[in-house]
Amino acid sequence: MTTRILNDLAVEIDGTGEALLCIHGLGGSSNNWTPLLPVLGGFHCIRPDLPGSARSPLPQDGKALSIERYVDAMVQLLSALDIGSVHVMAHSMGTIVAQHLALRRPGTVKSLVLLGPLAAPPDAARPNIAARANAARGGVAAMQEIADAIVKGATSTQTKEQQPAVLALVRESVMRQSPEGYAQSCAALADARSAALERLDVPTLLVTGDQDGVAPPHNVRAMQERIAGSRVIVLDGCGHWTTFEQPQRCAREIEAFYAALR
């Protein structure tokens, strides 16, 4: 495994084979994908921290983060690595980035695995996400409160009862974000707009949890209806932090999906 700084992004790269770009979500990092690495060994796996998230600093031009800027960053990263085509796996907010990337660069994205997916936040949720952006600017103590709220609200009952280490991992993932980086990431999500999902024409797997309040199964099935040929998997006893809460089941479904493409 190699960790590199490319275009001011911290990127973990390892493996050989077809390229696989892994895009984490709000409050995440390249470590969202660590539980899946055993089944990704056949790929040249590229796992960046998005601008302003985890180890990647905010851009220095003073312009706010947005979904468009995240897509720009992924395009520039692939160019820096001289990668012409790529499979894409993404979680949560990262799934919006992945959808826009696939449509902006036709022929570049070969398949999509979208975990805890959403086309865009529901209108009713946007004010709450924007309010979280403002709260995050309160600093480290505010980030701790946000992390505790996410652990409580975005993990399943079974995870809370049976997987205390997962709760700690989710909490740490959020608390390691810089307050301003997290605030701008929240604002980017609050302003996100849906891609034209009907135009996606690559193999697509949608995976969510039966207790995922961010990407509830009925919303994900609505996405499936807009993406021709896509499949939905709903994981029992799982909240929104899919790869942390149900890593073995995620791995099995993803391994089967990629095996069917070969």
Side-chain angles (χ1 to χ4, degrees):
M1 184 182 299
T2 301
T3 300
R4 299 173 62 182
I5 304 298
L6 292 168
N7 300 332
D8 290 328
L9 295 183
V11 187
E12 294 187 15
I13 303 172
D14 62 339
T16 59
E18 294 183 276
L20 172 64
L21 175 65
C22 300
I23 308 173
H24 67 78
L26 178 64
S29 74
S30 60
N31 278 317
N32 277 75
W33 312 109
T34 302
L36 302 182
L37 290 181
V39 298
L40 301 179
F43 288 98
H44 181 53
C45 196
I46 303 152
R47 306 184 304 282
D49 291 347
L50 289 172
S53 291
R55 295 168 296 169
S56 293
L58 282 165
Q60 296 301 302
D61 59 11
K63 297 179 181 178
L65 294 178
S66 65
I67 298 300
E68 182 178 5
R69 292 204 73 175
Y70 291 140
V71 175
D72 289 343
M74 297 302 96
V75 169
Q76 292 162 12
L77 174 60
L78 294 176
S79 177
L81 293 170
D82 196 25
I83 291 173
S85 61
V86 64
H87 299 276
V88 178
M89 184 183 303
H91 175 245
S92 192
M93 181 181 74
T95 68
I96 304 175
V97 179
Q99 293 156 41
H100 283 276
L101 174 63
L103 291 176
R104 185 195 291 187
R105 302 295 291 254
T108 296
V109 175
K110 296 193 285 188
S111 72
L112 292 167
V113 173
L114 307 178
L115 301 123
L118 58 161
D123 288 341
R126 294 180 191 273
N128 292 333
I129 301 170
R132 199 191 317 168
N134 292 331
R137 293 189 169 98
V140 173
M143 289 299 298
Q144 179 176 324
E145 292 181 7
I146 290 168
D148 288 339
I150 289 171
V151 166
K152 181 178 180 180
T155 59
S156 72
T157 300
Q158 291 88 334
T159 297
K160 292 183 186 71
E161 292 175 350
Q162 302 168 15
Q163 300 193 82
V166 170
L167 304 183
L169 180 56
V170 172
R171 190 172 188 264
E172 178 64 19
S173 184
V174 177
M175 288 181 64
R176 75 175 294 183
Q177 311 295 323
S178 74
E180 182 60 26
Y182 186 81
Q184 288 198 30
S185 299
C186 286
L189 178 59
D191 290 339
R193 294 295 180 264
S194 175
L197 301 188
E198 294 80 4
R199 289 171 44 210
L200 289 173
D201 62 354
V202 298
T204 301
L205 178 66
L206 307 169
V207 182
T208 195
D210 62 342
Q211 298 173 48
D212 189 334
V214 178
H218 65 273
N219 285 4
V220 176
R221 291 191 177 99
M223 289 182 65
Q224 179 192 24
E225 292 177 0
R226 297 178 61 192
I227 304 173
S230 60
R231 293 179 54 232
V232 171
I233 300 293
V234 178
L235 305 180
D236 295 336
C238 187
H240 187 56
W241 290 80
T242 331
T243 61
F244 292 163
E245 296 185 70
Q246 291 285 344
Q248 291 86 2
R249 180 78 190 280
C250 278
R252 287 197 299 271
E253 298 294 350
I254 290 166
E255 188 174 33
F257 174 77
Y258 287 132
L261 297 181
R262 296 190 174 107

